[in-house]
Amino acid sequence: MEPPAVPKRSARPQSVLFMCGQNVVRSVMAQALAKHLFGKSIYVASAGVIAGDADPFVIAVLDEIGLDVKKHRPQSVEDLEEYEGLSFDLAITLSPDAHHRALELTRTNALGVEYWPTSDPSREAGNREQRLDAYRAVRDELEQRIRARFRQP
Protein backbone atom coordinates (compact mmCIF):
# COMPACT_ATOMS: atom_id res chain seq x y z
CA MET A 1 0.00 0.00 0.00
CA GLU A 2 1.39 3.39 -0.99
CA PRO A 3 1.51 6.28 1.49
CA PRO A 4 -0.99 9.09 0.88
CA ALA A 5 0.17 11.75 -1.54
CA VAL A 6 1.68 14.79 0.13
CA PRO A 7 0.32 18.04 -1.28
CA LYS A 8 2.91 19.95 -3.24
CA ARG A 9 3.90 23.46 -2.21
CA SER A 10 2.42 24.68 -5.47
CA ALA A 11 -1.01 23.27 -4.57
CA ARG A 12 -3.55 26.07 -4.61
CA PRO A 13 -4.99 26.65 -1.14
CA GLN A 14 -8.64 27.45 -0.57
CA SER A 15 -7.96 30.03 2.14
CA VAL A 16 -4.99 32.34 2.61
CA LEU A 17 -4.00 34.66 5.43
CA PHE A 18 -1.52 37.43 4.60
CA MET A 19 0.43 38.57 7.66
CA CYS A 20 2.76 41.48 8.37
CA GLY A 21 3.71 43.55 11.39
CA GLN A 22 0.69 45.84 11.79
CA ASN A 23 -1.81 44.95 9.04
CA VAL A 24 -1.56 48.43 7.53
CA VAL A 25 0.75 48.19 4.49
CA ARG A 26 1.99 44.91 3.00
CA SER A 27 -0.72 42.53 4.17
CA VAL A 28 -3.46 45.01 3.24
CA MET A 29 -2.04 45.34 -0.27
CA ALA A 30 -1.69 41.57 -0.62
CA GLN A 31 -5.24 40.93 0.58
CA ALA A 32 -6.73 43.52 -1.79
CA LEU A 33 -4.71 42.25 -4.76
CA ALA A 34 -5.49 38.58 -4.12
CA LYS A 35 -9.21 39.29 -3.73
CA HIS A 36 -9.18 41.33 -6.93
CA LEU A 37 -7.23 38.72 -8.91
CA PHE A 38 -8.88 35.55 -7.64
CA GLY A 39 -12.30 36.71 -6.48
CA LYS A 40 -14.24 34.06 -4.66
CA SER A 41 -12.03 31.15 -5.78
CA ILE A 42 -9.75 31.71 -2.76
CA TYR A 43 -10.85 33.03 0.62
CA VAL A 44 -8.40 35.78 1.61
CA ALA A 45 -7.85 37.70 4.84
CA SER A 46 -5.05 39.67 6.46
CA ALA A 47 -3.79 40.38 9.95
CA GLY A 48 -0.79 41.80 11.74
CA VAL A 49 1.24 40.79 14.73
CA ILE A 50 -0.37 43.91 16.22
CA ALA A 51 -3.02 46.22 14.78
CA GLY A 52 -1.63 49.55 13.58
CA ASP A 53 -3.23 52.64 12.07
CA ALA A 54 -4.37 52.89 8.45
CA ASP A 55 -1.74 54.19 6.02
CA PRO A 56 -2.90 56.83 3.49
CA PHE A 57 -0.17 55.86 1.00
CA VAL A 58 -1.59 52.33 0.77
CA ILE A 59 -5.02 53.78 0.03
CA ALA A 60 -3.50 56.02 -2.67
CA VAL A 61 -1.46 53.38 -4.53
CA LEU A 62 -4.27 50.83 -4.50
CA ASP A 63 -6.74 53.49 -5.65
CA GLU A 64 -4.43 54.07 -8.66
CA ILE A 65 -5.24 50.56 -9.87
CA GLY A 66 -8.93 50.71 -8.98
CA LEU A 67 -8.87 48.96 -5.59
CA ASP A 68 -10.61 50.58 -2.63
CA VAL A 69 -9.34 49.74 0.86
CA LYS A 70 -10.69 52.80 2.67
CA LYS A 71 -12.94 50.60 4.82
CA HIS A 72 -10.13 48.24 5.88
CA ARG A 73 -9.64 48.23 9.65
CA PRO A 74 -6.25 46.92 10.81
CA GLN A 75 -6.52 43.82 12.96
CA SER A 76 -4.13 41.64 14.88
CA VAL A 77 -3.94 37.88 14.61
CA GLU A 78 -5.72 37.71 17.99
CA ASP A 79 -8.54 39.94 16.68
CA LEU A 80 -8.96 37.71 13.64
CA GLU A 81 -8.91 34.56 15.75
CA GLU A 82 -11.57 35.98 18.07
CA TYR A 83 -13.95 37.16 15.32
CA GLU A 84 -13.33 34.71 12.51
CA GLY A 85 -11.09 31.89 13.66
CA LEU A 86 -7.81 30.80 12.14
CA SER A 87 -8.92 27.99 9.86
CA PHE A 88 -6.67 28.93 6.93
CA ASP A 89 -4.79 26.54 4.66
CA LEU A 90 -1.87 28.90 4.23
CA ALA A 91 -0.32 31.92 5.92
CA ILE A 92 1.93 34.06 3.77
CA THR A 93 4.17 36.15 5.94
CA LEU A 94 5.63 39.38 4.62
CA SER A 95 7.85 40.45 7.53
CA PRO A 96 10.16 38.65 9.96
CA ASP A 97 7.97 39.30 13.02
CA ALA A 98 4.89 38.01 11.18
CA HIS A 99 6.81 34.91 10.10
CA HIS A 100 7.77 34.11 13.68
CA ARG A 101 4.15 34.63 14.78
CA ALA A 102 2.84 32.35 12.02
CA LEU A 103 5.28 29.61 13.01
CA GLU A 104 3.94 29.88 16.57
CA LEU A 105 0.42 29.41 15.18
CA THR A 106 1.42 26.11 13.56
CA ARG A 107 1.71 24.57 17.03
CA THR A 108 -2.06 24.67 17.43
CA ASN A 109 -3.35 25.10 13.87
CA ALA A 110 -2.96 22.99 10.73
CA LEU A 111 -1.47 25.86 8.79
CA GLY A 112 1.08 25.96 5.99
CA VAL A 113 3.46 28.93 6.14
CA GLU A 114 5.36 30.64 3.33
CA TYR A 115 7.74 33.53 3.91
CA TRP A 116 7.82 36.24 1.25
CA PRO A 117 10.33 38.80 2.55
CA THR A 118 8.90 42.15 1.46
CA SER A 119 10.41 45.56 2.10
CA ASP A 120 8.49 48.01 4.24
CA PRO A 121 7.81 51.11 2.11
CA SER A 122 6.74 53.12 5.16
CA ARG A 123 10.45 53.35 6.06
CA GLU A 124 11.20 55.20 2.81
CA ALA A 125 12.42 58.76 3.23
CA GLY A 126 12.03 61.53 0.71
CA ASN A 127 9.29 63.64 -0.76
CA ARG A 128 5.73 62.44 -1.33
CA GLU A 129 6.40 61.13 -4.86
CA GLN A 130 9.50 59.18 -3.76
CA ARG A 131 7.54 57.62 -0.94
CA LEU A 132 4.64 56.76 -3.26
CA ASP A 133 7.12 55.13 -5.64
CA ALA A 134 8.31 52.87 -2.81
CA TYR A 135 4.71 51.83 -2.11
CA ARG A 136 4.05 51.26 -5.83
CA ALA A 137 7.12 49.01 -6.04
CA VAL A 138 5.85 46.86 -3.16
CA ARG A 139 2.34 46.78 -4.65
CA ASP A 140 3.68 45.64 -8.02
CA GLU A 141 6.01 43.04 -6.48
CA LEU A 142 3.15 41.58 -4.45
CA GLU A 143 0.89 41.47 -7.49
CA GLN A 144 3.50 39.51 -9.47
CA ARG A 145 4.10 37.05 -6.64
CA ILE A 146 0.37 36.53 -6.02
CA ARG A 147 -0.32 35.94 -9.73
CA ALA A 148 2.54 33.43 -9.94
CA ARG A 149 1.67 31.59 -6.72
CA PHE A 150 -2.09 31.23 -7.17
CA ARG A 151 -2.64 30.90 -10.90
CA GLN A 152 -4.33 27.70 -11.93
CA PRO A 153 -1.92 25.02 -13.25
Side-chain angles (χ1 to χ4, degrees):
M1 179 177 233
E2 291 185 31
V6 176
K8 295 180 182 174
R9 179 188 173 278
S10 61
R12 190 172 188 209
Q14 293 181 353
S15 58
V16 177
L17 174 63
F18 288 99
M19 293 175 61
C20 67
Q22 298 183 41
N23 191 221
V24 294
V25 179
R26 294 164 284 185
S27 59
V28 176
M29 286 187 195
Q31 178 184 4
L33 289 162
K35 280 185 174 182
H36 172 70
L37 294 169
F38 296 100
K40 297 185 189 306
S41 68
I42 300 175
Y43 178 77
V44 180
S46 66
V49 175
I50 61 171
D53 297 316
D55 186 316
F57 287 110
V58 171
I59 294 168
V61 300
L62 289 175
D63 189 55
E64 290 175 351
I65 61 169
L67 302 180
D68 182 1
V69 293
K70 290 181 195 89
K71 293 181 181 170
H72 174 79
R73 297 293 168 254
Q75 64 182 346
S76 69
V77 172
E78 285 72 24
D79 296 336
L80 180 66
E81 189 170 28
E82 182 179 329
Y83 297 116
E84 202 173 314
L86 288 175
S87 56
F88 292 90
D89 298 325
L90 177 65
I92 295 178
T93 60
L94 306 169
S95 66
D97 52 341
H99 188 65
H100 292 296
R101 182 69 180 100
L103 293 176
E104 289 173 9
L105 294 172
T106 64
R107 293 184 199 151
T108 55
N109 296 276
L111 177 70
V113 177
E114 290 179 19
Y115 181 36
W116 295 2
T118 306
S119 63
D120 182 355
S122 68
R123 295 176 183 237
E124 182 68 31
N127 65 33
R128 177 179 167 76
E129 198 58 34
Q130 290 168 322
R131 295 183 68 202
L132 280 169
D133 283 342
Y135 280 76
R136 289 179 185 117
V138 169
R139 175 198 66 200
D140 296 346
E141 174 191 340
L142 286 170
E143 181 177 358
Q144 289 176 346
R145 291 191 82 162
I146 290 165
R147 282 182 187 276
R149 174 62 176 88
F150 298 111
R151 71 175 176 261
Q152 292 286 25

